[in-house]
Amino acid sequence: MHRIYVSTVVQFDTEGKITPLWIVWSNGRKYEIDRILSTQITPSLRPDANGYRFHVRILGQERTLGYDGRRWYIEAVD
């Protein structure tokens, strides 16, 4: 697997919960996240931040959307 970095539109609620809403590919195409299936807090590369892993459904396909404390990415299968 490798990471494809993407722009991501997210919502932060008043409690600080992060909810990804859309991803935007480098060519500008936007894809709405249909559903968040699960969320995990993961260690980040940055010592002052947590990472996140969201198992999501986009256009009927399940993907892993991650945040490493600095950038958002989709895990792509080689």
Side-chain angles (χ1 to χ4, degrees), residues 39-58:
T39 304
Q40 292 178 306
I41 297 175
T42 60
S44 173
L45 298 176
R46 293 175 41 190
D48 61 341
N50 286 324
Y52 294 89
R53 224 173 221 198
F54 298 89
H55 190 71
V56 298
R57 187 174 299 135
I58 301 170

Side-chain angles (χ1 to χ4, degrees), residues 1-4 53 55 63-64 73-78:
M1 277 195 230
H2 67 280
R3 293 178 176 185
I4 299 172
R53 224 173 221 198
H55 190 71
R63 296 285 184 247
T64 299
Y73 59 90
I74 293 285
E75 286 189 355
V77 178
D78 294 328

Side-chain angles (χ1 to χ4, degrees), residues 3-78:
R3 293 178 176 185
I4 299 172
Y5 290 95
V6 293
S7 295
T8 305
V9 177
V10 301
Q11 176 183 3
F12 290 88
D13 71 11
T14 57
E15 301 296 318
K17 179 181 173 189
I18 300 172
T19 303
L21 305 174
W22 298 82
I23 63 167
V24 184
W25 288 109
S26 59
N27 65 4
R29 290 192 64 161
K30 294 180 183 180
Y31 295 95
E32 184 175 4
I33 295 169
D34 302 326
R35 185 170 183 178
I36 297 173
L37 304 170
S38 67
T39 304
Q40 292 178 306
I41 297 175
T42 60
S44 173
L45 298 176
R46 293 175 41 190
D48 61 341
N50 286 324
Y52 294 89
R53 224 173 221 198
F54 298 89
H55 190 71
V56 298
R57 187 174 299 135
I58 301 170
L59 295 175
Q61 296 183 17
E62 294 182 14
R63 296 285 184 247
T64 299
L65 174 65
Y67 178 65
D68 65 11
R70 196 174 61 129
R71 297 188 293 175
W72 288 89
Y73 59 90
I74 293 285
E75 286 189 355
V77 178
D78 294 328

